[in-house]
Amino acid sequence: MIHLPKHLKFIAPVLVLTALQLGACSNAGAAADSSALANAGTQSQNSGGSGYQLQVLKDCKVLSERPLNAQELKLYQELQLAEQRMKQLEAPLKQMELELATQSKALEHLTSQIEQQVGQRKGPDPQLLAQQAEFSNKISAVVDSHQADIDALSSQGQYIATVATEFEQLVIKPFDKGSYDQIRLFPQGDKAPTDCQQGMFFSASR
């Protein structure tokens, strides 16, 4: 079996970060652009509103609707700021992906060749093994140079997940299990989505 620890060292953080982002943001997967929401919130606050309406749905019907209260709004704004920070932290890793694209593709090709040789009960070509080690070392060096960026993004992802969970628990606290299907947000002043499957969903009944 061919082991590529340094190559996997690159893949593992990316998978972890992806999982963190999905966990933090899956409930808001259908959200509108965050900057537009932030602007809507600022405008509504200036006019005295909370900025967002909270809707509770059951069987595709609206059971209740109200503005976010002060505590909910504070948490939601904290979540928005954290997501903006997340985007800033992602920028260096996008550059890392570009740096790694060529090396990763070449490494995959070499690994495939070596595995074919092993499958044919031939000894791997020493030249191919040397090239594989070279590309693996290059990948490892690039990843190591971005380790601080990876750690910062991972930490921010965990923070977002914590704030999102705290917000969700706060808004669902008054409701009994099974008493609703979905809870969603939309900016005050906007029309509520007519489709019960559209909007920024933060919770589904458990």
Side-chain angles (χ1 to χ4, degrees):
M1 182 179 290
I2 306 301
H3 294 282
L4 298 173
K6 291 180 180 178
H7 188 214
L8 293 178
K9 183 180 178 184
F10 158 65
I11 294 175
V14 173
L15 292 177
V16 170
L17 295 175
T18 301
L20 284 170
Q21 288 175 284
L22 287 174
C25 302
S26 60
N27 290 329
D33 180 74
S34 60
S35 61
L37 290 177
N39 291 336
T42 302
Q43 291 169 2
S44 295
Q45 287 177 67
N46 290 339
S47 62
S50 73
Y52 301 95
Q53 289 290 107
L54 185 73
Q55 250 187 10
V56 181
L57 297 94
K58 177 73 172 178
D59 297 328
C60 222
K61 296 179 180 179
V62 177
L63 295 182
S64 63
E65 181 179 321
R66 64 170 176 80
L68 290 184
N69 62 38
Q71 186 180 8
E72 292 164 347
L73 179 62
K74 182 180 178 181
L75 274 177
Y76 183 61
Q77 289 175 332
E78 188 176 340
L79 183 60
Q80 284 185 308
L81 290 174
E83 289 174 344
Q84 290 173 10
R85 175 60 177 157
M86 188 74 152
K87 289 181 180 179
Q88 294 171 352
L89 293 173
E90 286 172 348
L93 296 187
K94 289 179 181 177
Q95 179 60 37
M96 181 182 76
E97 289 175 8
L98 293 175
E99 294 174 27
L100 292 175
T102 302
Q103 289 92 331
S104 296
K105 188 173 182 179
L107 182 57
E108 289 171 7
H109 179 66
L110 285 170
T111 300
S112 177
Q113 287 182 292
I114 293 170
E115 287 176 346
Q116 285 178 8
Q117 290 177 349
V118 172
Q120 295 167 358
R121 297 184 178 179
K122 296 178 181 179
D125 185 336
Q127 249 187 338
L128 290 181
L129 289 175
Q131 291 175 30
Q132 183 191 54
E134 181 182 352
F135 280 114
S136 184
N137 287 334
K138 286 180 179 179
I139 287 173
S140 182
V142 172
V143 174
D144 287 344
S145 71
H146 285 277
Q147 190 59 52
D149 299 319
I150 292 171
D151 292 342
L153 188 61
S154 177
S155 177
Q156 187 70 6
Q158 293 171 0
Y159 174 69
I160 286 175
T162 299
V163 176
T165 299
E166 188 177 352
F167 176 81
E168 180 184 22
Q169 292 303 311
L170 186 62
V171 298
I172 70 173
K173 190 175 180 180
F175 303 103
D176 295 329
K177 181 179 179 180
S179 64
Y180 65 94
D181 293 330
Q182 298 160 319
I183 291 178
R184 67 181 174 189
L185 281 181
F186 62 93
Q188 284 182 339
D190 286 7
K191 283 187 176 181
T194 54
D195 186 341
C196 62
Q197 298 303 320
Q198 290 182 340
M200 190 189 333
F201 296 100
F202 272 88
S203 181
S205 186
R206 295 179 177 83

